[in-house]
Amino acid sequence: VARPAVVPLSFAQQRLWFLDKLQGPSPVYNIAAALRLGGRLDADALGPALADVVDRHESLRTLFPAVEGTPRQVVLSAERADFGWDVVDASAWSASQLTEAIGAAARRTFDLDAEIPLRATLFRLTSDEHVLVVVVHHIAADGWSLTPLVRDLGVAYASRRAGRAPDWDPLPVQYADYTLWQRTQLGELADTDSPIAAQLAYWEQALAGMPER
């Protein structure tokens, strides 16, 4: 089924988008993973492998611009999805310098209007020791996402090392498909007869008179 021209945000994404606009870009919702990789590493294969993962998962290459104050999901083509891949020579760094650089990478904020919500940096310590830092904004992933993403990265890296793209089937469902399903099931808050409006009304009544904290 073809998607509509405008894909709204899920309710969870809309909450995070609102906080980003209200408070400004913040690292609070960055999900960062620093992986220490031992043994020979082919950085020329790892970069394309990361691109394969971004290509496979639309949520990792989605922008969230607003039109007249209403945000929407805009999925970029894989060719336009720049995840800031950078290989840094850290061979002469002290442990504290490396820790500081990893922290800076983890804390760097995202511009959700113009940047895809994923960034990756590889620190080369020696020829057989590296640290891969991957940062994803919570608007595109959660803690459960890390396991399948790392698994897909392993598959893609092995394929790129063998000189080919990963031979995997396209995902049958992407996050934008879930968003459309959720909106169909729950409706819109502006519709007083919708399930989501009924849920909101219930909690407003249930919590009425409670202390603010």
Side-chain angles (χ1 to χ4, degrees), residues 28-194:
V28 169
Y29 295 104
N30 286 5
I31 301 172
L35 308 176
R36 186 173 289 271
L37 308 175
R40 293 288 176 177
L41 179 71
D42 186 349
D44 292 333
L46 184 59
L50 279 161
D52 290 329
V53 175
V54 171
D55 183 20
R56 180 168 172 76
H57 297 272
E58 286 183 355
S59 61
L60 300 179
R61 48 187 171 92
T62 298
L63 304 182
F64 301 91
V67 177
E68 297 181 352
T70 302
R72 61 181 62 184
Q73 296 187 58
V74 176
V75 180
L76 299 183
S77 65
E79 294 74 23
R80 293 179 57 204
D82 179 11
F83 54 91
W85 176 239
D86 195 12
V87 180
V88 178
D89 181 4
S91 58
W93 291 7
S94 65
S96 61
Q97 285 177 298
L98 177 63
T99 299
E100 183 178 347
I102 292 172
R107 291 188 300 270
R108 183 180 163 196
T109 59
F110 290 92
D111 179 353
L112 299 179
D113 291 354
E115 291 181 297
I116 66 169
L118 178 139
R119 191 178 300 119
T121 305
L122 181 68
F123 296 96
R124 180 183 291 115
L125 309 182
T126 67
S127 60
D128 59 358
E129 188 177 10
H130 298 74
V131 175
L132 173 64
V133 179
V134 179
V135 186
V136 189
H137 193 282
H138 190 29
I139 202 169
D142 57 20
W144 290 98
S145 307
L146 297 181
T147 297
L149 291 179
V150 171
R151 182 181 63 239
D152 283 353
L153 179 58
V155 171
Y157 177 69
S159 298
R160 290 297 177 179
R161 283 279 291 156
R164 63 178 186 273
D167 182 21
W168 49 32
D169 294 328
L171 295 175
V173 177
Q174 297 281 353
Y175 192 83
D177 300 313
Y178 162 74
T179 299
L180 294 172
W181 172 86
Q182 183 190 59
R183 293 283 180 166
T184 300
Q185 295 297 311
L186 297 178
E188 301 294 336
L189 285 170
D191 178 6
T192 56
D193 295 326
S194 68

Side-chain angles (χ1 to χ4, degrees), residues 6-44:
V6 176
V7 178
L9 275 59
S10 70
F11 291 113
Q13 286 177 325
Q14 191 162 337
R15 179 174 66 251
L16 290 164
W17 179 88
F18 174 79
L19 290 171
D20 182 80
K21 296 305 175 187
L22 178 67
Q23 302 171 351
S26 167
V28 169
Y29 295 104
N30 286 5
I31 301 172
L35 308 176
R36 186 173 289 271
L37 308 175
R40 293 288 176 177
L41 179 71
D42 186 349
D44 292 333

